[in-house]
Amino acid sequence: MKLETERLILKEINESHVEDILRIRSNELINQYVKRNSPKTNYDALEFILSIRKRTQDKEIIFWGISYKDQKNLIGTICLWKFSEDRKTAEVGYELLPDYHKKGIMSEALKSVLNFGFNDLNLQEILAFTNHQNESSKGLLLKHKFVLKENRTDEKNLENVIFSLKKAR
């Protein structure tokens, strides 16, 4: 399930991306706002890739690696996951290596994934959970017309705030 934008390819990850996934998911700057078990070795990254493949087959997640069209290395990831039972709502998650911040890359990728979610999957709402201190992520969401849900909390991570974007009618 590949998506293309002006500059980017969003593509399925596989075993050839072990080092890229290790670099992205173990990055300290990215992880300052994310609670997760980060991979420490190539083996850990491979285990993550294989778990994503299984979760993709089980239709639990749609996960893309982000790369420039003229490069094979991944510079980030973006996904739709935590689908509601009726498959009308999903959560978007994303991460980008710091060297690529402030270049409009994640905005371009997010726009493509939102379009896919609303138009191809017929989602009615896409949620985004982000750390309340992550100003870049909050700015990205606001730029794409997400609305802060001040009355909702993330019980698994009280430092997160929740944004929502509903399908335009």
Side-chain angles (χ1 to χ4, degrees):
M1 183 152 340
K2 189 161 68 169
L3 301 176
E4 286 193 36
T5 69
E6 187 179 331
R7 297 180 292 170
L8 307 172
I9 294 181
L10 282 57
K11 58 192 170 193
E12 194 174 327
I13 61 170
N14 61 44
E15 293 84 345
S16 73
H17 299 120
V18 165
E19 289 180 7
D20 295 335
I21 291 297
L22 179 62
R23 188 170 38 257
I24 293 164
R25 293 188 65 85
S26 65
N27 184 280
E28 284 183 27
L29 263 172
I30 293 172
N31 287 334
Q32 72 182 334
Y33 297 123
V34 183
K35 287 186 178 180
R36 66 173 168 209
N37 292 327
S38 297
K40 308 276 186 278
T41 65
N42 281 1
Y43 181 78
D44 294 341
L46 178 60
E47 276 191 323
F48 173 78
I49 290 168
L50 295 176
S51 78
I52 289 298
R53 180 177 292 152
K54 172 148 184 19
R55 292 173 69 198
T56 298
Q57 289 168 345
D58 294 344
K59 301 203 181 329
E60 291 175 31
I61 192 168
I62 303 172
F63 193 97
W64 295 272
I66 301 169
S67 65
Y68 280 114
K69 282 184 174 177
D70 60 351
Q71 296 176 1
K72 69 180 190 76
N73 286 11
L74 302 181
I75 58 174
T77 69
I78 190 165
C79 68
L80 289 170
W81 66 314
K82 292 187 179 174
F83 289 89
S84 61
E85 244 179 79
D86 64 4
R87 311 259 327 158
K88 297 290 183 196
T89 302
E91 184 181 328
V92 65
Y94 46 82
E95 58 198 345
L96 187 67
L97 287 170
D99 288 352
Y100 300 93
H101 288 184
K102 308 281 185 221
K103 297 178 183 341
I105 292 166
M106 193 53 74
S107 187
E108 197 172 312
L110 180 60
K111 180 180 178 185
S112 181
V113 168
L114 293 175
N115 182 54
F116 177 81
F118 288 130
N119 297 319
D120 293 87
L121 300 180
N122 200 28
L123 293 172
Q124 299 304 303
E125 181 181 28
I126 297 177
L127 300 171
F129 290 54
T130 193
N131 185 288
H132 72 278
Q133 294 180 324
N134 190 340
E135 296 301 326
S136 294
S137 182
K138 292 190 308 187
L140 173 72
L141 295 169
L142 291 171
K143 175 181 178 181
H144 288 274
K145 310 279 191 264
F146 278 79
V147 176
L148 177 62
K149 305 303 280 182
E150 293 183 36
N151 59 338
R152 289 193 56 190
T153 54
D154 180 358
E155 282 146 35
K156 292 183 181 149
N157 183 351
L158 295 177
E159 293 187 9
N160 279 348
V161 289
I162 302 171
F163 287 81
S164 165
L165 181 65
K166 294 194 186 284
K167 184 174 186 172
R169 302 212 175 263

